[in-house]
Amino acid sequence: MTGHRFSLRFALPLGLALAVVAMLLVSFSIGILNDRAAVMEHQTDDAILIAEHMARTAERGLTNQREQVAADLAVASTDRAVVAMVVIDADGKVELAHRLGWTGQHVSKVIPGFDMARFKRVSWGNLPDVEVSESLARITVLTQYNLPVGDAELRSSRHGAIYLEYDIQPDFDLVLWHAQNRLWPQLAIALVLIVALSSVLKRFVI
């Protein structure tokens, strides 16, 4: 009988502790996945909006209001998530960029691994093209804009593109930090309750 009481006093709190910890860890993991997905969706939508805004700005003013386009690009580039923002002409040359030294160079020389096939496909399309890195921490958006109409044209036959790259790893790190801050108090409360249960069993279990 004494062995049964001893077993119950320790086995029940231990089993409860393991179950509670398992549930908290599952909730912790699901919360991180859901929050990361929300960050990804929000930042992707934001990147698309900024790239499309820059495309319309380039269409209106790249020829006659170049300084204004450059100013808009500079302001947009101050977002902490922006790694690169580039206005590319039909030949792949950098018209404007967040780095002045890139201007006039071919985009493939300043952005390692830049996909020219993707650029050509997007420059003749109407929808922005979004790619996400394997780590999910980098988002790139490529969207088309029309270059000025030629003298013998009714509509432009030349198209450039806006390239925008986002780094959202800091947002993922923040998600993890908040999740951990929620987890520690929950674990502490669970520990207190389990210790209290163990004390109750020790006093009253016959």
Side-chain angles (χ1 to χ4, degrees), residues 62 66 86-97 102-110 114 116 119 145 147 158-162:
L62 192 58
R66 190 180 182 88
V86 186
V87 180
I88 310 166
D89 73 5
D91 300 317
K93 186 184 73 174
V94 176
E95 288 281 357
L96 294 168
W102 289 9
T103 304
Q105 299 189 58
H106 196 274
V107 65
S108 61
K109 292 184 178 180
V110 295
F114 185 83
M116 287 303 297
F119 167 74
Y145 72 92
L147 288 162
R158 288 169 54 80
H159 312 280
I162 305 297

Side-chain angles (χ1 to χ4, degrees), residues 108-178:
S108 61
K109 292 184 178 180
V110 295
I111 300 178
F114 185 83
D115 188 348
M116 287 303 297
R118 180 189 179 198
F119 167 74
K120 291 178 181 178
R121 183 179 71 251
V122 170
S123 65
W124 285 98
N126 294 316
L127 297 176
D129 183 80
V130 179
E131 289 188 357
V132 179
S133 66
E134 290 184 4
S135 67
L136 305 181
R138 291 282 179 124
I139 302 169
T140 63
V141 179
L142 203 59
T143 191
Q144 177 251 36
Y145 72 92
N146 295 318
L147 288 162
V149 176
D151 294 336
E153 294 181 323
L154 295 177
R155 58 181 301 181
S156 178
S157 62
R158 288 169 54 80
H159 312 280
I162 305 297
Y163 175 84
L164 175 60
E165 183 174 348
Y166 262 23
D167 177 10
I168 59 174
Q169 185 59 52
D171 298 278
F172 286 164
D173 293 341
L174 191 59
V175 163
L176 178 61
W177 184 79
H178 283 304

Side-chain angles (χ1 to χ4, degrees), residues 54 57 65-78 96:
M54 282 307 307
T57 302
Q65 297 177 310
R66 190 180 182 88
E67 290 183 358
Q68 182 60 52
V69 177
D72 285 357
L73 186 146
V75 171
S77 298
T78 59
L96 294 168

Side-chain angles (χ1 to χ4, degrees), residues 28 173-187:
F28 173 76
D173 293 341
L174 191 59
V175 163
L176 178 61
W177 184 79
H178 283 304
Q180 289 173 337
N181 283 348
R182 292 193 301 266
L183 178 63
W184 299 131
Q186 293 171 343
L187 287 173

Side-chain angles (χ1 to χ4, degrees), residues 19-97:
V20 169
V21 169
M23 287 189 294
L24 287 176
L25 289 178
V26 169
S27 176
F28 173 76
S29 299
I30 292 174
I32 288 177
L33 290 175
N34 290 339
D35 289 347
R36 281 170 62 104
V39 166
M40 175 69 72
E41 181 179 4
H42 171 75
Q43 293 288 49
T44 299
D45 290 345
D46 188 56
I48 291 172
L49 285 174
I50 291 177
E52 290 187 327
H53 168 73
M54 282 307 307
R56 304 294 79 79
T57 302
E59 282 185 354
R60 292 192 302 267
L62 192 58
T63 301
N64 301 319
Q65 297 177 310
R66 190 180 182 88
E67 290 183 358
Q68 182 60 52
V69 177
D72 285 357
L73 186 146
V75 171
S77 298
T78 59
D79 190 304
R80 64 178 178 81
V82 174
V83 174
M85 185 179 294
V86 186
V87 180
I88 310 166
D89 73 5
D91 300 317
K93 186 184 73 174
V94 176
E95 288 281 357
L96 294 168

